Amino acid sequence: MQRSREDSMGPRLLFLLLSVICDEIIFGSAEDRTKAVLTLEPNWTPIFTGETVSLTCSTEGEHGNTYYQWEKTDKDSGRADKIRGWERNKMYDISKATETDSGSYTCITNRPASRSNPVSLTVAAKPVPTAHIQSPEAPFYPGDKVTLSCDIAEQATWAQYFWYRDRVLIGSNSRSITISLSNEAGQYSCSAQRGNPPYPSYGSPNVEISYQALPTATLTVVPQSPVFTGETVTMTCVIESLSGWRYRWHKDGNEITATSSHTYNTDSSTLTIQKVQWSDQGNYKCVGERNARPALSSKSNDFSLYLGGQATPLITSDRPSPVFTGNTVTLRCGMGQSTGWRFYWYRDTQTSDPVAQTDGDSYSIRSVRVSDGGQYWCRAGRGDPVYYTQYSSAVWVNVTDSPRAVMTLLSNWTDIFSGETVTLRCGIQGEQHSDWRYSWYRDGHEIYQWGSGSEYKTTLSTSGNYSCRGTDRRNSQTSQTSEPLRVMVLEKPRPVLRGPSQSWLTEGDSVTLSCEVRGSATGWTFHWYKTAPYRSGLEPVSHEYRIYYVELLSDSSRGAGGSYTLSPAALRHTGVYVCRAERGETAYQTEFSQPQPLWLTGPPPPSVLAVVPNQTQHFAREALSLNCEGIGNSSGWRLRWFSEWTERNRCPYGMTETGPSCSTSSASPSGSGVYWCQSESGEQSNPVNITVHTGDVILESPAHPVTEGDPLTLRCRYRHQPSNISADIYKDGTLLHTSSTGEMTIPAVSKSHEGLYKCRNPERGESPESWITVKVSGLYSGSSPLVLVSVVTALIVTFVVITILLLLYHCKKIKDLRNQISQSGQQQGSSNHTSNQDQTELAGSDGAQSDYVPLQRGTTDVYDTINAEYMPLRQKTSDVYETLDISHGQSQDNGEEYDDVGS
């Protein structure tokens, strides 16, 4: 252990010896060493970012071979770093210093060998100065002088200051400035500068220097000019802000001092002039002063005091005589422009006590009576003690009874309906002139004022008591209000439309619809409408909570008197009709009447509505098909239907529309209604009433009219077969027949069988009602136009063929006669002559039978109608077939051929 220590001491001693030798070589001997001095320029701290700093290292024995080395010691860590190596430059410059340049700096020299004193350098952020007000305290007033100071960090180091007003430079070199208000008010800021080169600070935030107006002195005077000699005038100077004011008074620019006529005190805000004289006239003003800021107030407004001579008021009336009772008459006591008066009113004598006193210059007598008439005076007084004027001259007020207004109702009828416009007339009893304007009242409340004439038109909605009153344009006097006129307003009427008891009618019938407004028969004009599918321009009608649309009939004027007749009625008249009434100059209209359906049936039209199955009643959820069938194709025809008071041109919901047909595999009750086919030109088929029933019983009856003489079978059909299938058949609500099988057949129907039919089963209940239409029998009944044309064509061809056969027959007979004449001689000629005469008569008879006799109407089956087997000939003297019968009498073969045909 001892040996180890001895071994380690050797190198250490060697190191110290070498250090001493090096130090002697580098720095010289100890006698030659002089301490280096380090200086900082500029010599202040802190240094701000962006400034330039110079460090200078100097020694006494330095010469041209002196070298310098620089070190910087970090303040926080204490670590020393060499920042510059050996060089001849004795200065270390820091340009645009930053906070990282902060630290302790040291310089080292070699000849003489020396280490300088440390110099501490602190770099801080560039400072922001503050401009603040030194004096006086705010608020500021015009005339004040305000001193501002610029404060900044390291105040002593800053050599120069700059001042700005509203960002414009106004001065430099002074840390503080003094400004005068009000001309130099604005936004003030400052900045500072130091060093060389100059280093500026940031600019300070703005400080606003503003001022407020001097306290306002307001001069009030009682009474106002003009004043009258002998009155007392009081002037008051009021300064509402601040306190401690003393007051000074000026007249015509000269300060006032107390005199025998002036009560004046400098500590008081009031100046009183007692028993004013002409010499007191002039312009007065006041001003306030005090010891504190502000020392003065603004000068008050000027008051011009002038005298008005002798005070005698002028009395006037707003009504020329006479004044109508009930009106208001107002008397006015004029005192010119002077104010502050109290007015005293006298009647009949000036020595009496006043009848009234008013603060204003007017006195109103409301609802004047005859006893209020007479002679009136007035005078005024003001001040304390009261100064009275002279009495006015007199004015006469003559009062007479007011005329009464009379109201009349101008109407040709006494019943008035809600929404109807009426005319009321107002007149004034006993007044001949027309310079009246009128006000109108209902139940005492004004509803219209000052109409241009004596008549007033109004639309009434409720009943009420109406009255009027007139106002004379010449003097604004009013008449007495008229006696109330009771006007009863009835609910808006709905006319009653009457038509045939049954809606199903036959083409050719005469149908009359009548429309009337119940309880009101005067002045009405009636208009007739028919329902139509919706399109723009149609009027909507509400009935039983449903909306449908109607259009005015082109010939509606035929029914203006309340009666509309269709004679003869045709298929095109099928539809639902309503009426409406109108009267008065303003065309007041009633509600629409209840609807009246008319369903017309007749001979087969160009189109037929085919119903499959062919019945009027159908069970819900069963198949149903409706199709327009016509000559050729069905183009141009559409299916129309009417349901729930609405006419439609589209298939019901749930049915498929294909051209002019509607079909469904599951019928719905919403498809119930009256259906027909209609062409673009307005032609219509017979209507068919379709009922889709959700119940258990329906009555099977034909969809189309039944021909008179044909059998008719009615059958009760069930959704679920009952154990007892018997049924009661009803017509027009009366039991017609009880059937054990549930059906009934009428062998040959007649017009008397028309009506509403239904059936009833004891288990399943009853069916809806269906209308059975019976049409008159005839050849064309139930036939289509194509069949009719075929029948007519066949008859014409038959007639032509028969005529040709007859001509051939006659020609042959003539030829035979001529042969007989030539063979038999004169005698035979005579016999042939007789024969020819007979033939001529026969031919003449044949010519006389050329009239065409139309065939009888047959069954509803078109094909049965034109079958010759079921067409027996009808005997008639002019019948073509009768002529054939005569001819056939000469040949047995021909007679047998006719029997076959005849049979």
Side-chain angles (χ1 to χ4, degrees):
M1 187 70 178
Q2 183 66 29
R3 184 172 180 83
S4 297
R5 289 180 179 174
E6 291 176 356
D7 291 341
S8 62
M9 288 295 290
R12 289 184 180 180
L13 292 173
L14 180 61
F15 176 77
L16 291 172
L17 179 61
L18 290 174
S19 297
V20 170
I21 295 171
C22 289
D23 187 60
E24 287 292 330
I25 295 172
I26 296 172
F27 298 107
S29 62
E31 293 79 7
D32 296 334
R33 294 181 187 176
T34 302
K35 188 175 181 68
V37 177
L38 181 61
T39 59
L40 177 67
E41 182 64 31
N43 188 20
W44 53 59
T45 188
I47 298 297
F48 297 112
T49 56
E51 280 194 280
T52 298
V53 180
S54 295
L55 295 166
T56 304
C57 187
S58 58
T59 60
E60 293 181 0
E62 62 184 3
H63 47 73
N65 292 325
T66 301
Y67 286 81
Y68 301 88
Q69 181 176 282
W70 298 86
E71 291 181 357
K72 175 187 174 188
T73 302
D74 187 75
K75 288 184 177 181
D76 296 330
S77 64
R79 187 181 67 183
D81 294 322
K82 183 171 67 176
I83 59 175
R84 185 180 293 175
W86 294 104
E87 60 182 19
R88 291 182 180 274
N89 190 358
K90 63 185 293 183
M91 298 183 65
Y92 179 71
D93 295 326
I94 301 174
S95 178
K96 295 183 180 178
T98 65
E99 293 182 10
T100 59
D101 292 322
S102 297
S104 179
Y105 289 81
T106 305
C107 70
I108 302 172
T109 63
N110 66 338
R111 290 183 183 274
S114 176
R115 175 181 292 273
S116 73
N117 58 294
V119 173
S120 178
L121 176 63
T122 301
V123 180
K126 179 183 285 192
V128 177
T130 301
H132 77 275
I133 301 170
Q134 283 188 323
S135 64
E137 293 183 357
F140 307 122
Y141 299 92
D144 283 348
K145 293 187 180 298
V146 181
T147 300
L148 295 96
S149 176
C150 189
D151 296 336
I152 189 169
E154 301 301 320
Q155 191 80 57
T157 63
W158 298 92
Q160 193 171 14
Y161 293 86
F162 301 90
W163 286 95
Y164 305 85
R165 181 175 63 242
D166 300 330
R167 299 183 179 181
V168 177
L169 180 65
I170 59 173
S172 60
N173 297 326
S174 176
R175 180 187 167 195
S176 63
I177 61 170
T178 300
I179 62 173
S180 297
L181 297 179
S182 61
N183 293 336
E184 295 180 320
Q187 299 279 346
Y188 282 81
S189 62
C190 67
S191 65
Q193 181 176 288
R194 73 180 184 178
N196 187 22
Y199 174 76
S201 71
Y202 286 118
S204 72
N206 288 333
V207 59
E208 182 177 6
I209 304 299
S210 61
Y211 64 93
Q212 64 186 38
L214 290 172
T216 301
T218 302
L219 179 59
T220 60
V221 182
V222 177
Q224 290 287 318
S225 293
V227 296
F228 302 94
T229 56
E231 280 195 276
T232 297
V233 177
T234 301
M235 301 181 187
T236 304
C237 192
V238 179
I239 303 175
E240 294 183 350
S241 60
L242 304 179
S243 60
W245 294 103
R246 301 183 303 276
Y247 300 91
R248 293 186 300 179
W249 297 88
H250 297 80
K251 173 190 173 188
D252 298 331
N254 300 315
E255 189 170 355
I256 300 174
T257 60
T259 65
S260 58
S261 63
H262 299 141
T263 299
Y264 176 70
N265 190 323
T266 57
D267 290 329
S268 174
S269 61
T270 302
L271 174 68
T272 303
I273 306 176
Q274 298 177 347
K275 296 182 179 180
V276 65
Q277 303 172 7
W278 287 97
S279 60
D280 291 321
Q281 292 187 122
N283 290 320
Y284 290 79
K285 68 175 57 177
C286 69
V287 65
E289 61 180 14
R290 67 180 197 148
N291 296 329
R293 291 182 47 252
L296 294 174
S297 72
S298 65
K299 291 183 178 180
S300 72
N301 52 298
D302 283 351
F303 171 71
S304 180
L305 177 65
Y306 62 92
L307 275 63
Q310 188 176 9
T312 302
L314 175 66
I315 189 170
T316 57
S317 171
D318 68 336
R319 302 283 190 195
S321 294
V323 179
F324 294 147
T325 56
N327 284 271
T328 298
V329 59
T330 299
L331 304 177
R332 192 171 303 277
C333 193
M335 285 297 299
Q337 298 179 356
S338 61
T339 60
W341 297 99
R342 183 166 183 79
F343 295 87
Y344 305 87
W345 305 89
Y346 303 86
R347 187 179 68 204
D348 296 333
T349 176
Q350 296 178 0
T351 59
S352 63
D353 292 333
V355 294
Q357 300 181 31
T358 61
D359 292 329
D361 65 350
S362 63
Y363 167 54
S364 296
I365 307 172
R366 303 183 184 279
S367 298
V368 65
R369 299 167 298 177
V370 174
S371 59
D372 291 323
Q375 195 175 24
Y376 286 81
W377 293 267
C378 74
R379 69 170 177 167
R382 67 182 179 185
D384 185 15
V386 177
Y387 170 81
Y388 289 101
T389 68
Q390 301 294 319
Y391 285 96
S392 71
S393 58
V395 64
W396 282 92
V397 176
N398 296 325
V399 182
T400 61
D401 288 329
S402 176
R404 179 176 293 278
V406 178
M407 171 176 279
T408 54
L409 174 65
L410 301 182
S411 177
N412 294 326
W413 42 83
T414 57
D415 50 327
I416 307 297
F417 295 98
S418 177
E420 196 167 5
T421 298
V422 299
T423 300
L424 303 173
R425 174 177 291 171
C426 192
I428 307 298
Q429 286 182 341
E431 292 295 317
Q432 302 300 321
H433 67 86
S434 59
D435 291 334
W436 291 91
R437 53 188 178 185
Y438 299 90
S439 301
W440 309 84
Y441 303 85
R442 182 180 63 231
D443 298 330
H445 300 288
E446 188 174 64
I447 56 175
Y448 187 68
Q449 185 181 40
W450 295 348
S452 58
S454 60
E455 295 181 357
Y456 168 56
K457 289 186 177 181
T458 181
T459 300
L460 303 181
S461 58
T462 57
S463 301
N465 293 313
Y466 288 80
S467 57
C468 67
R469 187 175 68 179
T471 300
D472 195 329
R473 296 177 186 270
R474 299 170 301 177
N475 52 34
S476 299
Q477 294 196 83
T478 58
S479 69
Q480 297 183 55
T481 303
S482 68
E483 292 293 333
L485 175 65
R486 182 66 177 173
V487 178
M488 296 297 298
V489 179
L490 307 175
E491 184 179 355
K492 189 172 185 178
R494 182 183 299 277
V496 177
L497 175 59
R498 292 188 177 90
S501 58
Q502 294 296 339
S503 301
W504 292 87
L505 306 169
T506 303
E507 189 175 38
D509 290 348
S510 178
V511 180
T512 298
L513 303 176
S514 64
C515 189
E516 68 169 324
V517 179
R518 284 184 175 175
S520 177
T522 307
W524 296 107
T525 299
F526 296 88
H527 301 278
W528 298 86
Y529 301 80
K530 189 179 178 183
T531 60
Y534 170 77
R535 67 175 185 272
S536 178
L538 295 184
E539 284 201 69
V541 180
S542 176
H543 181 70
E544 295 180 354
Y545 306 103
R546 298 191 180 276
I547 301 294
Y548 58 97
Y549 295 88
V550 297
E551 59 182 340
L552 184 68
L553 296 176
S554 58
D555 59 348
S556 171
S557 58
R558 292 195 300 109
S563 178
Y564 182 75
T565 300
L566 303 173
S567 181
L571 290 180
R572 70 176 184 277
H573 296 134
T574 285
V576 179
Y577 293 78
V578 295
C579 67
R580 183 166 67 179
E582 176 183 292
R583 74 179 180 184
E585 294 180 2
T586 56
Y588 173 76
Q589 293 178 327
T590 66
E591 303 281 7
F592 283 95
S593 70
Q594 83 283 3
Q596 171 65 52
L598 295 180
W599 312 119
L600 275 299
T601 61
S607 180
V608 176
L609 175 60
V611 183
V612 179
N614 184 20
Q615 59 195 49
T616 60
Q617 296 184 18
H618 304 264
F619 279 126
R621 297 187 295 278
E622 290 188 349
L624 174 61
S625 175
L626 306 167
N627 184 44
C628 292
E629 298 178 350
I631 299 175
N633 58 47
S634 56
S635 62
W637 290 82
R638 289 189 65 87
L639 187 64
R640 301 276 286 270
W641 67 295
F642 189 88
S643 176
E644 296 178 342
W645 305 118
T646 303
E647 187 173 328
R648 312 168 193 266
N649 55 8
R650 301 187 64 85
C651 291
Y653 177 77
M655 300 188 76
T656 301
E657 183 171 353
T658 306
S661 67
C662 297
S663 60
T664 180
S665 60
S666 180
S668 169
S670 62
S672 298
V674 177
Y675 292 78
W676 69 93
C677 299
Q678 186 165 318
S679 69
E680 294 177 351
S681 61
E683 296 178 286
Q684 296 181 205
S685 71
N686 283 323
V688 175
N689 187 23
I690 298 297
T691 301
V692 180
H693 189 44
T694 57
D696 291 334
V697 184
I698 61 173
L699 177 66
E700 289 186 348
S701 60
H704 293 284
V706 183
T707 304
E708 190 176 35
D710 285 355
L712 170 64
T713 298
L714 303 175
R715 182 178 295 107
C716 212
R717 182 181 164 211
Y718 310 101
R719 187 186 298 274
H720 306 290
Q721 191 75 5
S723 59
N724 179 9
I725 63 172
S726 66
D728 295 330
I729 310 296
Y730 292 84
K731 176 179 181 289
D732 299 329
T734 303
L735 180 63
L736 181 66
H737 179 70
T738 298
S739 170
S740 60
T741 61
E743 64 179 48
M744 180 190 78
T745 299
I746 302 174
V749 297
S750 64
K751 291 293 285 185
S752 64
H753 290 116
E754 280 190 339
L756 286 170
Y757 289 81
K758 68 178 179 180
C759 68
R760 185 179 184 281
N761 178 267
E763 294 181 21
R764 300 301 182 193
E766 64 182 28
S767 71
E769 290 184 318
S770 287
W771 177 264
I772 302 296
T773 299
V774 179
K775 62 182 180 181
V776 178
S777 62
L779 173 63
Y780 301 107
S781 298
S783 301
S784 69
L786 180 60
V787 174
L788 295 178
V789 172
S790 300
V791 171
V792 173
T793 303
L795 289 174
I796 293 174
V797 171
T798 302
F799 178 77
V800 171
V801 170
I802 293 174
T803 302
I804 293 173
L805 291 174
L806 287 174
L807 291 174
L808 292 174
Y809 174 77
H810 284 297
C811 289
K812 183 177 181 303
K813 294 298 290 181
I814 292 171
K815 184 177 180 181
D816 291 341
L817 288 174
R818 287 177 179 174
N819 290 335
Q820 291 177 6
I821 291 172
S822 62
Q823 294 174 2
S824 302
Q826 184 64 34
Q827 185 178 359
Q828 292 293 332
S830 176
S831 176
N832 287 339
H833 175 73
T834 305
S835 177
N836 288 336
Q837 184 177 0
D838 294 339
Q839 293 296 331
T840 302
E841 293 172 357
L842 180 61
S845 177
D846 181 61
Q849 304 301 319
S850 61
D851 292 338
Y852 170 75
V853 180
L855 298 178
Q856 282 274 56
R857 295 180 179 265
T859 66
T860 58
D861 194 325
V862 173
Y863 302 101
D864 288 347
T865 304
I866 64 174
N867 194 332
E869 184 177 357
Y870 296 99
M871 285 194 299
L873 299 177
R874 187 174 67 177
Q875 298 297 321
K876 187 178 180 185
T877 56
S878 60
D879 200 320
V880 172
Y881 302 108
E882 183 179 354
T883 305
L884 289 175
D885 227 3
I886 297 172
S887 300
H888 293 167
Q890 300 179 13
S891 171
Q892 182 63 34
D893 293 339
N894 291 340
E896 291 174 356
E897 184 179 334
Y898 167 72
D899 290 338
D900 291 341
V901 174
S903 64

